Amino acid sequence: MTRPDPAAAPVRAARGPVTADAFQETANPRTNTERAMNVPHPPGRPPVAAISPPRRSGRFRRTARALALAASLAVSFAAVTGCTASAEADAPRTPCGLVIDGSGSGAAGGRGFDAEAKLKSTLVPFLTDRDCGTLAFAPVTRSSQTSSCRVGDVDLDPPADETTDRDRLRRSARILAVRGALTMLECARTQGGSDVLGALARIGEAMPSGEETPSLLVVSDFEQADKEFTLRVSEIGTEESRERAVDTLLGARGVPGIAGMDVYPVGYGMRHDARPSEYRPFDAFWSEILSRRAKAHVHDDYRK
């Protein structure tokens, strides 16, 4: 007796005769679907509906949103980091110093060179042009190195976050620097005397060591006059007499520690400008000290 084929049972159970085409459609639904989607269906046979794409799970959607958020945060972080790096690159870094002359020759009018007026007209341009990041102060008095006149250093690039207007903050810092300079000048005027060399030594000591070359603004006529030494142009007319005068001034005090620094005098030699016979030996005297002995770089950018 022949046993029934289980695979044929569903076919025999169907109503009416089973054709080869019907069997093929039942056995291969994918081919059937593609034919219904791409080829006009035979008359009387309903088209097979297109299969909808599977719905994405909630976990997939959450993952996609997390990835999008991470990408957005990465872009924002890169933008903020870029701005911060740019701000740091543009930040003023030069250590700067100001020497301000409080002697009588710095008075306004008469034969004075008006130290206050020159300070006000040159300090802010100097701070801006030289990209000063800090400013230290030193007075010219009868004994500049030991003078009690003290003004704290000014940070010209105060710390701030990325939302702060840095330019405005730096402008405010420069205003503080001008106030500090005027305070130093007022104090120096109460002590009298004109120890320019001592002021140069003091500001040199105040400069930090580092990669950046310090810049010094020296608002003074450079008339050295203290209890131990007074510069008289009539006594330095020859090279030999200048050498002796320089050796005398530096003898016990030493050379100011401003080697390699950029020095910008304001008011330099103004008492002798109208008399070339006086200015030449005066300039030669200070050139020997500043450029040859101290090995500083002297510039005329703000000389008035």
Side-chain angles (χ1 to χ4, degrees), residues 11 14-29 32 35 45:
V11 177
R15 292 182 180 179
V18 178
T19 65
D21 289 341
F23 181 83
Q24 182 64 31
E25 290 175 1
T26 303
N28 195 348
N32 181 47
R35 185 164 60 246
R45 181 182 297 174

Short mmCIF file of all heavy atoms in Angstrom, two decimals, residues 11 14-29 32 35 45:
data_model
loop_
_atom_site.label_atom_id
_atom_site.label_comp_id
_atom_site.label_asym_id
_atom_site.label_seq_id
_atom_site.Cartn_x
_atom_site.Cartn_y
_atom_site.Cartn_z
N VAL A 11 -2.08 20.51 -1.06
CA VAL A 11 -2.51 20.71 -2.44
C VAL A 11 -3.82 20.00 -2.71
O VAL A 11 -4.74 20.53 -3.32
CB VAL A 11 -1.43 20.22 -3.42
CG1 VAL A 11 -1.87 20.36 -4.86
CG2 VAL A 11 -0.15 21.00 -3.17
N ALA A 14 -6.91 21.79 -1.35
CA ALA A 14 -7.42 23.01 -1.99
C ALA A 14 -8.61 22.66 -2.85
O ALA A 14 -8.73 21.58 -3.37
CB ALA A 14 -6.31 23.62 -2.84
N ARG A 15 -9.53 23.62 -3.00
CA ARG A 15 -10.72 23.42 -3.79
C ARG A 15 -10.39 23.50 -5.26
O ARG A 15 -9.69 24.40 -5.69
CB ARG A 15 -11.77 24.46 -3.46
CG ARG A 15 -12.35 24.32 -2.06
CD ARG A 15 -13.43 25.35 -1.82
NE ARG A 15 -13.97 25.21 -0.48
CZ ARG A 15 -14.93 26.01 -0.01
NH1 ARG A 15 -15.42 27.00 -0.75
NH2 ARG A 15 -15.40 25.79 1.21
N GLY A 16 -10.95 22.62 -6.06
CA GLY A 16 -10.79 22.64 -7.50
C GLY A 16 -9.44 22.13 -7.90
O GLY A 16 -8.59 21.82 -7.08
N PRO A 17 -9.25 21.99 -9.18
CA PRO A 17 -7.98 21.46 -9.67
C PRO A 17 -6.85 22.43 -9.44
O PRO A 17 -7.02 23.65 -9.52
CB PRO A 17 -8.26 21.27 -11.17
CG PRO A 17 -9.34 22.25 -11.49
CD PRO A 17 -10.19 22.33 -10.27
N VAL A 18 -5.72 21.94 -9.14
CA VAL A 18 -4.51 22.76 -8.88
C VAL A 18 -3.66 22.77 -10.13
O VAL A 18 -3.24 21.69 -10.59
CB VAL A 18 -3.71 22.20 -7.71
CG1 VAL A 18 -2.47 23.04 -7.50
CG2 VAL A 18 -4.57 22.16 -6.47
N THR A 19 -3.42 23.95 -10.68
CA THR A 19 -2.60 24.06 -11.88
C THR A 19 -1.14 24.26 -11.51
O THR A 19 -0.80 24.60 -10.37
CB THR A 19 -3.07 25.25 -12.75
OG1 THR A 19 -2.82 26.45 -12.01
CG2 THR A 19 -4.54 25.14 -13.10
N ALA A 20 -0.29 24.07 -12.54
CA ALA A 20 1.15 24.27 -12.30
C ALA A 20 1.46 25.72 -11.98
O ALA A 20 2.29 26.03 -11.14
CB ALA A 20 1.93 23.81 -13.54
N ASP A 21 0.73 26.67 -12.60
CA ASP A 21 0.96 28.11 -12.32
C ASP A 21 0.62 28.44 -10.89
O ASP A 21 1.32 29.18 -10.21
CB ASP A 21 0.13 28.96 -13.28
CG ASP A 21 0.66 28.91 -14.70
OD1 ASP A 21 1.85 28.52 -14.84
OD2 ASP A 21 -0.08 29.30 -15.61
N ALA A 22 -0.52 27.93 -10.41
CA ALA A 22 -0.93 28.21 -9.03
C ALA A 22 0.07 27.65 -8.06
O ALA A 22 0.40 28.26 -7.04
CB ALA A 22 -2.33 27.63 -8.78
N PHE A 23 0.56 26.47 -8.32
CA PHE A 23 1.56 25.88 -7.44
C PHE A 23 2.84 26.72 -7.42
O PHE A 23 3.44 26.95 -6.38
CB PHE A 23 1.85 24.44 -7.92
CG PHE A 23 2.86 23.75 -7.04
CD1 PHE A 23 2.47 23.14 -5.85
CD2 PHE A 23 4.20 23.71 -7.41
CE1 PHE A 23 3.41 22.52 -5.05
CE2 PHE A 23 5.13 23.09 -6.60
CZ PHE A 23 4.74 22.48 -5.42
N GLN A 24 3.25 27.19 -8.60
CA GLN A 24 4.47 28.01 -8.67
C GLN A 24 4.31 29.30 -7.89
O GLN A 24 5.20 29.73 -7.20
CB GLN A 24 4.81 28.32 -10.14
CG GLN A 24 6.09 29.12 -10.31
CD GLN A 24 7.30 28.36 -9.85
OE1 GLN A 24 7.33 27.11 -9.92
NE2 GLN A 24 8.30 29.05 -9.33
N GLU A 25 3.13 29.95 -7.99
CA GLU A 25 2.89 31.19 -7.23
C GLU A 25 2.92 30.93 -5.74
O GLU A 25 3.39 31.74 -4.96
CB GLU A 25 1.54 31.77 -7.64
CG GLU A 25 1.56 32.34 -9.05
CD GLU A 25 0.18 32.81 -9.48
OE1 GLU A 25 -0.74 32.71 -8.66
OE2 GLU A 25 0.05 33.27 -10.63
N THR A 26 2.39 29.83 -5.32
CA THR A 26 2.38 29.51 -3.89
C THR A 26 3.77 29.17 -3.40
O THR A 26 4.18 29.55 -2.31
CB THR A 26 1.44 28.32 -3.62
OG1 THR A 26 0.15 28.65 -4.10
CG2 THR A 26 1.37 28.01 -2.13
N ALA A 27 4.53 28.49 -4.19
CA ALA A 27 5.85 28.03 -3.77
C ALA A 27 6.89 29.14 -3.80
O ALA A 27 7.89 29.06 -3.09
CB ALA A 27 6.30 26.88 -4.66
N ASN A 28 6.72 30.18 -4.63
CA ASN A 28 7.74 31.24 -4.77
C ASN A 28 7.09 32.62 -4.64
O ASN A 28 6.85 33.31 -5.62
CB ASN A 28 8.41 31.10 -6.14
CG ASN A 28 9.70 31.92 -6.19
OD1 ASN A 28 9.95 32.72 -5.31
ND2 ASN A 28 10.50 31.69 -7.24
N PRO A 29 6.73 32.99 -3.42
CA PRO A 29 6.03 34.28 -3.23
C PRO A 29 6.89 35.47 -3.64
O PRO A 29 6.39 36.48 -4.06
CB PRO A 29 5.72 34.29 -1.72
CG PRO A 29 6.72 33.36 -1.12
CD PRO A 29 6.97 32.30 -2.15
N ASN A 32 6.63 35.91 -7.29
CA ASN A 32 5.26 36.33 -7.53
C ASN A 32 5.08 37.81 -7.23
O ASN A 32 4.46 38.56 -7.98
CB ASN A 32 4.31 35.48 -6.67
CG ASN A 32 2.86 35.88 -6.90
OD1 ASN A 32 2.43 36.01 -8.04
ND2 ASN A 32 2.12 36.04 -5.82
N ARG A 35 6.79 40.00 -9.77
CA ARG A 35 6.05 40.02 -11.03
C ARG A 35 4.84 40.92 -10.90
O ARG A 35 4.51 41.68 -11.81
CB ARG A 35 5.64 38.59 -11.39
CG ARG A 35 4.98 38.52 -12.78
CD ARG A 35 4.94 37.10 -13.29
NE ARG A 35 4.18 36.23 -12.40
CZ ARG A 35 4.72 35.24 -11.70
NH1 ARG A 35 6.01 34.97 -11.78
NH2 ARG A 35 3.98 34.48 -10.92
N ARG A 45 -7.07 38.93 -11.93
CA ARG A 45 -6.25 38.56 -10.76
C ARG A 45 -5.84 39.83 -10.04
O ARG A 45 -5.20 40.70 -10.61
CB ARG A 45 -5.02 37.78 -11.18
CG ARG A 45 -4.15 37.36 -9.99
CD ARG A 45 -2.91 36.63 -10.42
NE ARG A 45 -3.26 35.39 -11.10
CZ ARG A 45 -2.37 34.61 -11.68
NH1 ARG A 45 -1.10 34.95 -11.69
NH2 ARG A 45 -2.75 33.48 -12.27
#
